[in-house]
Amino acid sequence: INVILKRGKIILAKDLDKKELMGLCMFHKSEYWFSKHQLMNIHVLYVRKQYRTYNLVKVIVDSVKNVSEGLPILLSISTGIHKDPVFERLGFENMGSNWRLL
């Protein structure tokens, strides 16, 4: 969180009628671990269940694109929820898998 607060950005999506937080995105500029090429790294992308629509996620991702200065955007999915078609529709490529030991 300190890295995000010092070097990153936070996008908050709010329902102005209900005065409720709909979702958020926390991201910052970083480098690939294997090179000095820069990228925009999304650490958190969360939308509350009742607001989960493609259009809201698209608006949030487009907001990241608007400040990414043309850098590639990296988003790691580390939940058991499989939403690959949504991210493919947004233009993301599957670059591998995350593994966890239970």
Side-chain angles (χ1 to χ4, degrees):
I1 292 177
N2 286 335
V3 170
I4 300 296
L5 293 174
K6 288 180 182 177
R7 299 186 305 173
K9 298 191 182 304
I10 299 173
I11 296 170
L12 299 174
K14 182 178 180 180
D15 182 329
L16 297 176
D17 295 329
K18 295 181 182 178
K19 298 181 181 173
E20 287 183 345
L21 183 65
M22 297 187 305
L24 63 91
C25 182
M26 296 176 15
F27 60 101
H28 74 92
K29 191 183 292 187
S30 186
E31 295 175 346
Y32 290 101
W33 64 271
F34 53 84
S35 76
K36 293 292 182 188
H37 291 168
Q38 292 196 318
L39 60 99
M40 199 59 77
N41 191 353
I42 296 177
H43 283 275
V44 176
L45 176 57
Y46 177 76
V47 177
R48 292 177 65 190
K49 191 171 187 173
Q50 65 266 33
Y51 295 105
R52 289 182 187 159
T53 65
Y54 173 79
N55 288 335
L56 181 57
V57 173
K58 182 172 181 358
V59 166
I60 292 171
V61 170
D62 285 347
S63 296
V64 175
K65 285 180 184 178
N66 287 339
V67 297
S68 71
E69 302 166 354
L71 294 173
I73 299 172
L74 182 69
L75 169 65
S76 295
I77 306 298
S78 59
T79 69
I81 300 171
H82 300 287
K83 297 294 182 191
D84 296 340
V86 171
F87 293 108
E88 288 171 0
R89 188 173 167 194
L90 289 166
F92 286 93
E93 273 183 76
N94 185 349
M95 302 290 289
S97 297
N98 290 311
W99 298 89
R100 69 180 156 189
L101 180 62
L102 300 177

